[in-house]
Amino acid sequence: MADSVYDRQTAADYRTAREVPRDGLTAWRQAVAEAAPLTPGSTVLDVGAGTGAFAAAFHDWYGVRVLAVEPAEAMRALIPDSPGIEVLAGTAEALPVPDGCADAAWLGSVLHHLTDLEAAARELRRALRPGAPVLIRNTFPGRCDRDLRVRYFPETARSIDGYPSVDQVCAAFATAGFARVALRSLPQQSAPTLGAFADGLRREADSKLRALTDTQYADGLARLRAAAAAAPDEPAVSWMDLLVLA
Ligand SMILES: C[S@@+](CC[C@H](N)C(=O)[O-])C[C@H]1O[C@@H](n2cnc3c(N)ncnc32)[C@H](O)[C@@H]1O
């Protein structure tokens, strides 16, 4: 399924439009360091690694080895080739890694793609060393008002209403022995300005934008362009949640 959604063109668009520039992730870099003991020699399991933006960032920021698990061949093909990143075909529900191999797991914008949250939780329990945290970066229903796409394309909140809620995720992961440790909203600078953000949008690379009607998309783009014209220097800042379980 993931392969049919993320074909070669969509994967290239994802890299262009959805990868957040590294210097826009300062708050995330700090928050992850606070939530997980990541030091050189540690191993991070990046589940649903996509085009590897976070795998590469984690390797560069913390000196860790990254096991990047990704089902879509077209996405895997774009993960940077680095001795610190091992790219593996697989899913969260059937992780292609040995028991107790990782010191933390990272799930970036992947929860809503999973077919079986409890199976994923069981697999993460198996793959992580005892006490190791699961770091989830996601948009959650009822907590997405500061997501830039929701701000300018308010109908995207309807797609997010169908995502697993914080309570549903915590309940599913509790079945595998994980408990909620922290939930924080964090900013990211998606582009230097709202105008640059509008220029970089690729509707096909984003399931929430794909779900809009053409009119809803055109209206949202017009709102975004108007905001960019009114505040040409305003940076494009969006917020997402970091949910930590251990
Ligand atoms: C929105 S992308 C996020 C990519 C990356 N984590 C990031 O933050 O840039 C979601 C990714 O999840 C992958 N995916 C879909 N189903 C999955 C599953 N069952 N297990 C793991 N990954 C999955 C998709 O192929 C896609 O690359």
Side-chain angles (χ1 to χ4, degrees):
M1 180 195 120
D3 260 333
S4 61
V5 175
Y6 291 99
D7 60 14
R8 201 185 299 181
Q9 183 59 50
T10 311
D13 284 347
Y14 186 93
R15 166 171 275 180
T16 308
R18 301 278 310 278
E19 282 190 5
V20 179
R22 189 78 68 84
D23 56 8
L25 289 168
T26 310
W28 284 89
R29 178 178 183 169
Q30 178 67 29
V32 168
E34 287 165 13
L38 299 182
T39 51
S42 310
T43 298
V44 175
L45 191 54
D46 184 358
V47 181
T51 51
F54 282 99
F58 278 29
H59 177 58
D60 294 346
W61 288 340
Y62 313 118
V64 295
R65 180 172 80 110
V66 181
L67 301 176
V69 176
E70 167 56 46
E73 200 282 327
M75 298 293 262
R76 282 199 308 277
L78 297 182
I79 297 178
D81 187 10
S82 156
I85 303 174
E86 191 175 335
V87 180
L88 301 165
T91 65
E93 296 87 346
L95 290 168
V97 299
D99 296 358
C101 67
D103 301 287
W106 172 254
L107 284 83
S109 305
V110 72
L111 270 189
H112 46 283
H113 292 275
L114 304 186
T115 51
D116 187 339
L117 277 181
E118 290 190 12
R122 277 195 303 278
E123 275 294 82
L124 286 163
R125 176 83 285 159
R126 179 186 68 74
L128 289 172
R129 301 201 169 100
V134 178
L135 312 174
I136 294 173
R137 176 182 195 263
N138 225 83
T139 306
F140 290 103
R143 298 180 52 90
C144 59
D145 289 357
R146 292 190 292 174
D147 183 304
L148 263 189
R149 290 159 300 181
V150 175
R151 194 165 140 201
Y152 293 103
F153 303 88
E155 297 88 355
T156 55
R158 272 188 227 138
S159 296
I160 297 167
D161 283 344
Y163 289 10
S165 68
V166 171
D167 286 347
Q168 286 169 334
V169 174
C170 290
F173 275 72
T175 64
F178 290 101
R180 172 172 158 169
V181 174
L183 176 65
R184 300 176 62 181
S185 270
L186 294 167
Q188 66 190 36
Q189 187 170 320
S190 300
T193 62
L194 291 173
F197 179 70
D199 292 342
L201 279 180
R202 297 284 184 282
R203 190 178 176 190
E204 285 312 310
D206 192 320
S207 56
K208 285 178 273 307
L209 298 180
R210 278 201 306 270
L212 301 178
T213 65
D214 289 348
T215 305
Q216 288 168 341
Y217 185 71
D219 288 350
L221 202 52
R223 274 189 291 271
L224 178 55
R225 292 277 183 211
D233 298 328
E234 183 177 330
V237 176
S238 199
W239 292 70
M240 284 177 82
D241 284 323
L242 173 64
L243 174 62
V244 182
L245 308 168

